[in-house]
Amino acid sequence: ASARCSDRKGPLTEATRWRTAFETASSLWDRLCKEAEHKQAALDAATEVGTAVQKSVDRQRAAVKEAEEALAVQWRVLSEVEAEAARTAQRVSEAAEQTRVARGEAQVAADEWRKALEELKRVGPRAAELSRKLALRGVAGSLGVEDVRDVLLDAGLAKHADSFTA
């Protein structure tokens, strides 16, 4: 009987070991499956993030491309504006030069006008005297060369009288 008990302990112990091994393996399998599920979920999440990042990168690349195109347009417009500004500066410079020349000419004309006015003021009394002398001579019509010469000599304008010699 005692041999039977020991025989029974043997197979029972063997079955218990197998059962324990199975339960351990099953527990390990369950834990590995859960780990695999977690890792698969993490991989799916990482894939989702990677896809989102790739889409974001694609959008950013498109935005950069649009910005580069807009920048190229702005550079072209800026170049055109700079060229127009240079042309305008040239026109302003030319206008300033023309204004400077015109001011110089206006100054010369003003000086000439002032000189002519001074000359008129200076010769006005002489002209009045010549007119009076002509009236005294009784000249009513046209004057002869000798008449003009005599009047100029009487008025003290001998240097001008020399050009009226007959």
Side-chain angles (χ1 to χ4, degrees), residues 56-141:
S56 176
V57 166
D58 291 344
R59 283 192 303 270
Q60 289 175 354
R61 283 182 179 154
V64 166
K65 183 178 179 183
E66 287 178 19
E68 286 173 343
E69 290 170 356
L71 185 60
V73 168
Q74 289 175 349
W75 274 112
R76 191 181 76 247
V77 168
L78 179 62
S79 296
E80 291 170 2
V81 167
E82 286 176 340
E84 183 59 32
R87 288 190 294 272
T88 300
Q90 180 63 30
R91 287 192 298 268
V92 165
S93 176
E94 291 170 359
E97 178 62 21
Q98 289 173 353
T99 301
R100 188 188 65 73
V101 168
R103 280 186 182 155
E105 291 172 353
Q107 184 62 44
V108 168
D111 291 345
E112 288 176 0
W113 179 82
R114 184 183 45 77
K115 287 177 185 175
L117 187 60
E118 288 173 3
E119 182 69 17
L120 181 63
K121 285 179 183 177
R122 187 179 65 77
V123 294
R126 285 187 175 173
E129 184 182 333
L130 285 175
S131 186
R132 188 180 51 77
K133 286 186 179 181
L134 287 173
L136 286 176
R137 284 183 173 238
V139 176

